[in-house]
Amino acid sequence: MHLAVVGSGYVGLVAGACFAETGNDVVCVDKDAGKIERLQRNEIPIYEPGLEDLVRRNQAEGRLRFSTDLPAAVREAKVIFIAVGTPPNEDGSADLSHVLDVAGEIGRAMDGPRLVVNKSTVPVGTADRVEAAIRSVTSQPVDVASNPEFLKEGAAIEDFMRPDRVIIGVQTDAARAALEALYAPFTRRGGDRFIVMDRRSAELTKYAANAMLATRISFMNQVAALCEALGADVHLVRAGIGSDQRIGRAFLYPGPGYGGSCFPKDVKALVHMAKEADVAADVLEAVEAANARQKQVLLDKTRQRLGADLAGKVVAVWGLAFKAETDDMRESPSIPLVEGLLAGGARVQVHDPRATESARAIFGDRVLYAADPYSAAHGADALVIVTEWLVYRNPDLDRLKLLLRRPLVIDGRNLFDPARMRSLGFEHVGIGRGRG
Ligand code: NAD
């Protein structure tokens, strides 16, 4: 099938490369000419495991191309995916300007019938708006479908190739058949992985899924705070509740607050949607408020130990990305931490295996970028762990202790066993692991 994917970011690039891998002829379009030139040279602008190989191979074999020429891509393709960003507006609603701009451009370029599939995360009713935007500029027949994306950064290719489910919102059998054929290679593992519904339900499914996951995180962060106040261990409580099949073990890890480009903006957008529809959004508002508080937890724990005046103190930070296996720092809890430490007068020495470039755009030369985790820890009064990178899980703790000026580890991801750390002479402060 001939496909165009408009927007070559985390979602568009992964979707385009995976569709090419299964034999389709794909053009990935972006308005960022620099990004497209890099991609044409097989330089991947983001870090995503396995993506470079996939792009290189499919580009070499001629199934994957990159272009800034949206009209040409629309003329060649029968199915066009929209995968541009939908960042939050000031009021929390999703900014649809990129999606609707692209819809207009597609409409103006259409020289025959097309299926337009929206993959961006968009409020309920956007498929109608996309359809109206296209119809207002062309008399060619257009079918618009919704196909929200559920991939996780850091495991995006695996998620796309072996999805838990593919959600399709359609209003015609033709759209359903085309998308079923496209996704068949990825949904062969059995089970009911291809779920077809109306467009509005598909649009809402994406927000409901992210809001549910964000709720689990805020809930567990609150349970962790209770553990600290009452002298319980969240590690044990998690095992105790996760064994209940109705709850399940996944996504029950407390931490420094959720970040990334999706959960924060999607919870906000759902709150906004609920308010517009005159539906109470109090559960979601509480999830958001709890997360905003949680993003201060690592700074609070550091200040409690080192004092509010951090002048003359050196703080090491391991991990800047909002989670492991990505270079993405959007809404990362590392940002309020580092900014708070700097505001308090501390010298901050950071390390991240992949996010240094993203970090430079935020912190400039206000922090010291260490080449490895141990250099970051050198001479520090505290080590704060923000991201659960594998490389931080089993460090040489004797070496670490010697390098730190004070053996204080504020373990925002509960990577280490508190009792073991104490026996090695560390002051270990976890999240919800005994009195805080
Ligand atoms: P991104 O910012 O990484 O990429 C978006 C791309 O769209 C950019 O390269 C930008 O230059 C391009 N673009 C914007 N306007 C354009 C236009 N008019 N023409 C051509 N290109 C244009 O965004 P992303 O993280 O890939 O997210 C895209 C959408 O998918 C969002 O709605 C997001 O919520 C959703 N989503 C993201 C993830 C994720 O993990 N990142 C997962 C699921 C869903």
Side-chain angles (χ1 to χ4, degrees):
M1 216 180 288
H2 286 263
L3 310 177
V5 181
V6 185
S8 304
Y10 286 89
V11 168
L13 187 53
V14 169
C18 292
F19 282 136
E21 179 76 358
T22 47
N24 298 289
D25 184 35
V26 182
V27 184
C28 283
V29 178
D30 207 285
K31 67 177 181 184
D32 180 340
K35 190 180 258 190
I36 291 298
E37 275 168 29
R38 287 178 70 185
L39 286 164
Q40 286 167 338
R41 293 195 301 268
N42 292 313
E43 280 176 33
I44 310 297
I46 52 173
Y47 173 69
E48 188 58 53
L51 187 55
E52 190 173 338
D53 280 353
L54 205 61
V55 167
R56 185 180 296 280
R57 184 170 59 248
N58 283 283
Q59 200 161 210
E61 292 171 9
R63 289 186 300 271
L64 181 62
R65 285 171 294 138
F66 295 99
S67 170
T68 53
D69 190 345
L70 187 143
V74 168
R75 283 192 297 272
E76 279 177 37
K78 285 282 169 276
V79 182
I80 302 143
F81 285 86
I82 301 177
V84 296
T86 47
N89 286 316
E90 284 278 301
D91 63 0
S93 62
D95 173 0
L96 289 181
S97 58
H98 302 299
V99 170
L100 295 174
D101 283 354
V102 169
E105 282 186 73
I106 292 171
R108 281 187 287 279
M110 275 169 50
D111 55 1
R114 293 291 185 275
L115 172 59
V116 175
V117 186
N118 185 41
K119 227 179 202 327
S120 299
T121 301
V122 290
V124 176
T126 301
D128 300 339
R129 294 181 65 185
V130 165
E131 191 171 324
I134 296 175
R135 288 195 196 285
S136 71
V137 292
T138 183
S139 53
Q140 298 289 353
V142 66
D143 195 349
V144 175
S146 164
N147 170 216
E149 180 50 57
F150 294 90
L151 63 77
K152 302 184 289 294
E153 288 175 22
I157 291 170
E158 171 70 10
D159 285 349
F160 199 93
M161 293 284 197
R162 296 165 61 84
D164 288 338
R165 75 324 205 168
V166 171
I167 301 285
I168 300 290
V170 289
Q171 44 184 21
T172 66
D173 288 342
R176 176 195 179 129
L179 290 167
E180 207 159 12
L182 256 184
Y183 277 106
F186 309 115
T187 51
R188 276 173 196 273
R189 277 186 303 144
D192 225 354
R193 295 187 192 278
F194 193 75
I195 303 176
V196 184
M197 54 183 78
D198 64 274
R199 301 190 305 196
R200 286 177 172 255
S201 302
E203 288 166 340
L204 188 54
T205 297
K206 173 66 192 177
Y207 283 106
N210 274 357
M212 170 68 94
L213 294 169
T215 303
R216 275 174 85 101
I217 295 176
S218 279
F219 177 82
M220 283 311 291
N221 285 336
Q222 209 144 76
V223 170
L226 270 170
C227 286
E228 290 176 10
L230 305 176
D233 184 347
V234 76
H235 188 61
L236 303 173
V237 176
R238 185 183 62 239
I241 63 173
S243 54
D244 185 328
Q245 281 189 14
R246 294 168 302 175
I247 296 173
R249 290 178 205 284
F251 243 76
L252 290 181
Y253 291 82
Y258 61 75
S261 68
C262 291
F263 288 1
K265 88 168 165 55
D266 292 351
V267 173
K268 282 190 184 71
L270 195 51
V271 167
H272 191 268
M273 253 180 274
K275 288 194 165 158
E276 294 259 285
D278 214 9
V279 171
D282 38 6
V283 172
L284 298 169
E285 283 171 323
V287 168
E288 229 198 318
N291 195 57
R293 252 197 333 271
Q294 195 69 13
K295 283 189 166 174
Q296 294 300 318
V297 155
L298 295 180
L299 184 61
D300 290 348
K301 286 178 185 287
T302 310
R303 283 196 188 130
Q304 277 158 19
R305 270 92 192 163
L306 298 185
D309 179 8
L310 295 169
K313 303 286 186 203
V314 178
V315 179
V317 176
W318 281 4
L320 299 167
F322 83 94
K323 65 173 182 177
E325 296 298 331
T326 182
D327 61 349
D328 198 344
M329 281 186 62
R330 289 179 281 186
E331 305 265 348
S332 173
S334 66
I335 300 171
L337 170 70
V338 170
E339 292 295 358
L341 293 171
L342 290 172
R347 205 170 86 211
V348 183
Q349 306 180 162
V350 302
H351 175 264
D352 189 286
R354 295 287 174 181
T356 307
E357 203 181 314
S358 314
R360 280 188 202 280
I362 298 167
F363 305 130
D365 54 11
R366 293 180 296 143
V367 301
L368 188 138
Y369 299 94
D372 64 84
Y374 298 106
S375 317
H378 191 261
D381 297 284
L383 164 63
V384 187
I385 303 175
V386 182
T387 316
E388 70 284 21
W389 284 101
L390 279 178
V391 70
Y392 303 145
R393 283 180 190 252
N394 209 2
D396 179 340
L397 291 170
D398 294 328
R399 183 174 171 202
L400 180 63
K401 185 153 168 269
L402 283 175
L403 285 169
L404 289 168
R405 189 152 68 188
R406 173 174 167 181
L408 169 60
V409 175
I410 298 177
D411 183 355
R413 298 288 180 170
N414 289 339
L415 298 187
F416 304 125
D417 177 50
R420 176 162 178 251
M421 291 298 276
R422 271 194 301 276
S423 74
L424 291 171
F426 284 95
E427 289 172 70
H428 177 267
V429 182
I431 306 276
R433 305 218 57 189
R435 294 206 185 270

